[in-house]
Every structure is written in structure tokens, then in C-alpha cells.
Amino acid sequence: MTAEPLPRQVGHPLATEFRLTEVLQALSDPLRLDIVATLAESGVELSCSAFHLPVTKSTSTHHFRVLREAGIVQQRYEGTARMNSLRRQDLDAVFPGLLASVLSSAVRNER
Amino acid sequence: MTAEPLPRQVGHPLATEFRLTEVLQALSDPLRLDIVATLAESGVELSCSAFHLPVTKSTSTHHFRVLREAGIVQQRYEGTARMNSLRRQDLDAVFPGLLASVLSSAVRNER
DNA sequence: TGATTGGTACGATAATAAACGTACAACGAT
DNA sequence: ATCGTTGTACGTTTATTATCGTACCAATCA
């Protein structure tokens, strides 16, 4: 009676549920800001391990979860990897110009 | 030999010292975001007590200090009151568009 | 099947941050 | 001089967050 393993999935907030303070909080961590900037520059999906973050796997999981729960990244499984992409359209729809100004500020400020 | 009391003064960071993550962190608190939005809407200097914050005086002092140290507000004494104003020009120079997008997002998101 | 890869879950710890109360300081007015 | 107003300083408490380690799971590969 071994149950079928459930397909792995994660919950993402709807764009209507985004909260500004939560987004700002998520972006206020240097590591996470770096992740977002890297995603924006690359323009493609990236696995968690592609970032070579200077923290352990479990801490990495934590940061990606904060970004996901704030609505900043979209995650989906591809094999064993979890692919991350920016929710640009959703963010722009709810907070117009915010991501762009944060990203250009991040470049100027060198994080 | 009673020393003259020093004129009260506070330290403000130079615009060149602004750090994006610190600014985002400062703005990520609902109370502080409210303060900034009120300052922006009013367009004038406001004393700390003009905000009628739902916290004690000492907590209020704390939040204004966070905003000041991030470079978001300018403070000066006027009598016993501490007058606060936005450092709009400095912020726009270092992080172009950031404050504007945060403020318009705050309105949409109703904080 | 078993090992490897990439990531999660959970619990613990340490650092940071929000909130408060009390005591106090500077200024203005009485 | 002393009182009310406005805010600061300091120490404490509580809540949140960043980090880690260990154990584990699902997918792929040999």
C-alpha cells in the first residue's frame, strides 16, 4: 500500500496578494538582492545551485523561499533542480517601476 | 564651571554613503513607510509628534533614527520639536526613481 | 537497484530589530 | 526658577531573521 509520491510543488502568492513591505523586506537582504539582480541580468531561469551562494544549502533554500513568498520569483521543478525566474510582469503590474529602479540602484550602489 | 550645553545636533549620512539594502530595509517597515508617505504627501517639514504614531515616544525615536541613518529623512531641531523632511534630492541622485516607485506602490498597495 | 544530485524539513542557535518603561535633557513659556 | 512640551538615552524584553547541521526526499543515472 505504498502511496504514490506527490508531484513536488510549491505555493506562489497571487499578484493581488503581493504586499509592498514584504517585497521591500525580501529585497533588503544583500544575498537576495544579488539573486534578483543575477536573475534579471541573465533573463533566463536559473537553478538554485547556479548562484554559488556563500551559504549552506538550507540557508539558500530559506532565501529562495522568502523571495518566492514575497512574489518576486517563480519556482518550478525540472528534474532534481528547482528553476527560478523573476515574476517581472506580475511585479510590474502591481508595483510599476519598482523592480527596475531597485535593479538600477543596485548596479549603481554595487549592492 | 558649568559647561554650556551643546547645540543639539544629529549625524546624517552623506549621499555618497547611502546603501541600497539599508534604504530598502528602512522602507520595509509599515510604520516607517507610512511616515515617509506622509512626509511626501505633505511636502513640508513635520515634527515627530505630528504623525500620531501608535507607539510610544521611545519607539518613535527609534523609527526616525532608522530613517535618518538610512539617509531617507533630514532632521533638525526647532525649539523642542524635531522637524523631519524627506531627502528627496539626495535619494533621487543616488537611487533614481526608487522613492517615486515605492511611494506610488504604497498608495496602490494601501501600505 | 543503488548511488548521485539538488533540494527540503526540522530543530537549534545567534544576531538583529521592535517595542516598552524609566530617567533625563533642551527649549519655551509662565 | 520651575513647569510643560518634545524628544533622547539606556536597559530590557520579545519577536523575527539568518545561519547552520542533520536527516530526508524525489529525480536521474549507472
Side-chain angles (χ1 to χ4, degrees):
Chain A
M1 214 179 270
T2 54
E4 282 295 298
L6 291 173
R8 288 182 299 182
Q9 246 178 332
V10 285
H12 292 86
L14 301 173
T16 54
E17 296 168 337
F18 290 179
R19 287 183 315 165
L20 177 58
T21 50
E22 196 178 350
V23 169
L24 294 175
Q25 163 76 25
L27 294 174
S28 72
D29 180 276
L31 213 61
R32 291 193 294 258
L33 186 53
D34 225 57
I35 291 172
V36 172
T38 301
L39 275 176
E41 284 162 21
S42 88
V44 298
E45 284 184 319
L46 293 174
S47 70
C48 294
S49 62
F51 292 89
H52 305 294
L53 301 176
V55 291
T56 62
K57 286 192 299 178
S58 47
T59 301
S60 179
T61 294
H62 161 69
H63 285 300
F64 280 101
R65 180 175 49 226
V66 171
L67 288 173
R68 171 169 47 80
E69 292 181 348
I72 296 172
V73 303
Q74 178 81 228
Q75 297 185 303
R76 70 178 186 88
Y77 282 101
E78 182 165 312
T80 72
R82 186 166 223 172
M83 305 303 290
N84 302 273
S85 54
L86 271 186
R87 295 182 65 177
R88 238 186 216 286
Q89 290 199 331
D90 286 338
L91 283 170
D92 284 346
V94 181
F95 308 125
L98 181 64
L99 187 60
S101 62
V102 168
L103 289 174
S104 75
S105 296
V107 173
R108 287 177 176 238
N109 208 235
E110 300 169 310
R111 268 80 106 187
Chain B
M1 215 180 276
T2 55
E4 283 294 299
L6 292 174
R8 288 183 299 182
Q9 246 179 331
V10 284
H12 292 83
L14 300 174
T16 54
E17 296 167 336
F18 289 0
R19 287 183 313 166
L20 178 58
T21 50
E22 196 178 350
V23 169
L24 294 175
Q25 163 77 23
L27 294 174
S28 72
D29 180 274
L31 212 63
R32 289 192 295 258
L33 186 53
D34 225 56
I35 291 171
V36 172
T38 302
L39 274 177
E41 284 161 20
S42 88
V44 298
E45 284 183 319
L46 292 175
S47 70
C48 295
S49 62
F51 293 88
H52 305 294
L53 301 176
V55 291
T56 63
K57 286 191 300 178
S58 47
T59 301
S60 178
T61 295
H62 161 69
H63 285 300
F64 280 101
R65 181 174 49 225
V66 172
L67 288 173
R68 170 170 46 80
E69 290 180 349
I72 296 172
V73 303
Q74 178 81 229
Q75 298 184 304
R76 72 178 184 85
Y77 282 102
E78 182 165 310
T80 73
R82 187 167 224 172
M83 305 303 291
N84 301 272
S85 53
L86 271 186
R87 294 182 65 177
R88 238 186 214 287
Q89 290 200 332
D90 286 337
L91 283 170
D92 285 344
V94 180
F95 307 126
L98 182 63
L99 187 60
S101 63
V102 168
L103 289 174
S104 76
S105 295
V107 172
R108 288 176 175 239
N109 208 235
E110 299 170 310
R111 268 82 103 185

